[in-house]
Amino acid sequence: MNNQAIILFDGVCNLCNSAVNFVIKRDKKNSIQFAPLQSETAHTLLKKHDMPSEEMKSFIFIEDGKLYSSSTAALKVCRHLNGGWPILYGFMIVPSFIRDAIYKWIAKNRYKWFGKKDECMIPTPESRAKFLN
């Protein structure tokens, strides 16, 4: 696992899978790799950062050896995307307890609103290289 930025995501969550596809389409520099939280790769990375993998249920971003979660993770990802998406990083000025409250409300309801798969997503042949084994 190199120093490339990594998104760990809930592989059975429809919202999370849509977010991964959204990032793949806008990450023209190929600066981000992905791994479902249910994978051995994610468990290894979380252990390396002293994070309990059994409690991780949403979205983690690892960049430059640092682990970010919740709204901070999402906003840091925006800096890697093409188009106007990096502007959203400006929301970092909003206190994290406010940003995270909104993030956690969405995360808590994501299965109810967007659904859930029985198994992790399978990358397309075009995007397979972006996924860690």
Side-chain angles (χ1 to χ4, degrees):
M1 288 173 252
N2 55 29
N3 285 332
Q4 198 165 20
I6 301 168
I7 292 176
L8 305 179
F9 66 100
D10 182 350
V12 298
C13 169
N14 287 337
L15 175 61
C16 300
N17 286 310
S18 294
V20 166
N21 288 326
F22 178 89
V23 171
I24 288 171
K25 287 179 184 175
R26 288 156 184 84
D27 178 27
K28 300 297 184 194
K29 295 178 186 172
N30 290 318
S31 62
I32 300 175
Q33 291 185 301
F34 305 88
L37 284 166
Q38 295 83 354
S39 70
E40 198 56 45
T41 299
H43 290 272
T44 300
L45 286 166
L46 291 170
K47 187 176 182 179
K48 178 181 174 184
H49 291 277
D50 296 321
M51 296 293 292
S53 59
E54 61 277 355
E55 292 179 26
M56 293 290 118
K57 295 183 176 29
S58 191
F59 179 85
I60 302 292
F61 185 59
I62 301 171
E63 181 180 43
D64 296 328
K66 295 180 184 169
L67 186 142
Y68 304 96
S69 63
S70 301
S71 64
T72 301
L75 293 173
K76 289 212 174 255
V77 168
C78 289
R79 293 190 312 171
H80 290 265
L81 305 180
N82 287 346
W85 297 104
I87 291 171
L88 292 177
Y89 187 74
F91 281 104
M92 289 293 284
I93 65 169
V94 175
S96 63
F97 74 91
I98 294 171
R99 289 186 283 114
D100 287 345
I102 296 167
Y103 179 92
K104 288 175 184 175
W105 176 67
I106 294 169
K108 179 181 174 186
N109 291 291
R110 70 188 188 276
Y111 293 149
K112 181 170 41 171
W113 296 340
F114 301 98
K116 181 178 176 179
K117 298 176 188 265
D118 292 330
E119 53 190 49
C120 290
M121 75 178 279
I122 298 172
T124 64
E126 299 82 33
S127 66
R128 192 171 313 260
K130 291 180 156 276
F131 286 79
L132 300 170
N133 292 332

